[in-house]
Amino acid sequence: MKNKAVENFKNGYSCSESIVKAAADLGLVNHNLIPVATPFSGGISSGCLCGAVAGMQLVIGAMLGRQDNSTSPNEAKSNAKLAMDKFKELHKVTCCRALTAGLDMTSPQRKEHCCKLVNDCAEIIEEICSSNIKK
């Protein structure tokens, strides 16, 4: 998944879209989720939550979230927390502005840095999936 996500990002998809598209292409989530991810890039267009992290959470929610009021949200929530904790172990923060401090929005350095963030979020999803968590 991580190779697909990074390839998507390098080919013009935003960080959040790249994560969701990779998951959709692998059949983990519905392709209809891709446009939902669009506004989450660039820290939800405000520099706040990293778009790759937001995309990761969208995928976790789509895979594990409750389908109706008769099921529990606990599996999605516990895996969402696990994903955030793993990301913070790697990067300390989840704020786009902090993660990209000192990097010009259009610079090749920022693009490369964000490729790493996309890679790490996709890898975290891979780890969650490999833990035999059912959809």
Side-chain angles (χ1 to χ4, degrees), residues 107-120:
S107 72
Q109 294 84 7
R110 178 169 173 147
K111 184 82 170 180
E112 190 56 38
H113 179 69
C114 290
C115 277
K116 172 76 172 126
L117 301 175
V118 166
N119 180 80
D120 292 346

Side-chain angles (χ1 to χ4, degrees), residues 61-77 135:
M63 289 172 43
L64 302 171
R66 67 169 138 191
Q67 302 300 312
D68 57 44
N69 203 23
S70 69
T71 57
S72 170
N74 292 344
E75 188 173 15
K77 287 183 173 187
K135 288 186 183 180

Side-chain angles (χ1 to χ4, degrees), residues 42-43 45-50 93-103 110:
S45 301
S46 69
C48 292
L49 180 64
C50 168
V93 297
T94 59
C95 173
C96 178
R97 192 177 300 113
L99 289 165
T100 60
L103 298 172
R110 178 169 173 147

Side-chain angles (χ1 to χ4, degrees), residues 9-112:
F9 187 67
K10 288 181 176 179
N11 287 326
Y13 285 92
S14 73
C15 48
S16 52
E17 293 167 337
S18 296
I19 296 289
V20 174
K21 182 175 179 351
D25 289 348
L26 292 170
L28 299 174
V29 301
N30 191 299
H31 277 90
N32 293 336
L33 192 59
I34 297 168
V36 175
T38 299
F40 292 98
S41 64
I44 311 176
S45 301
S46 69
C48 292
L49 180 64
C50 168
V53 172
M56 175 177 67
Q57 294 295 2
L58 284 171
V59 169
I60 291 168
M63 289 172 43
L64 302 171
R66 67 169 138 191
Q67 302 300 312
D68 57 44
N69 203 23
S70 69
T71 57
S72 170
N74 292 344
E75 188 173 15
K77 287 183 173 187
S78 64
N79 280 283
K81 181 181 181 336
L82 174 67
M84 293 298 273
D85 290 346
K86 286 180 178 284
F87 187 87
K88 287 180 190 176
E89 282 176 24
L90 297 170
H91 301 287
K92 307 294 182 235
V93 297
T94 59
C95 173
C96 178
R97 192 177 300 113
L99 289 165
T100 60
L103 298 172
D104 181 75
M105 182 69 157
T106 59
S107 72
Q109 294 84 7
R110 178 169 173 147
K111 184 82 170 180
E112 190 56 38

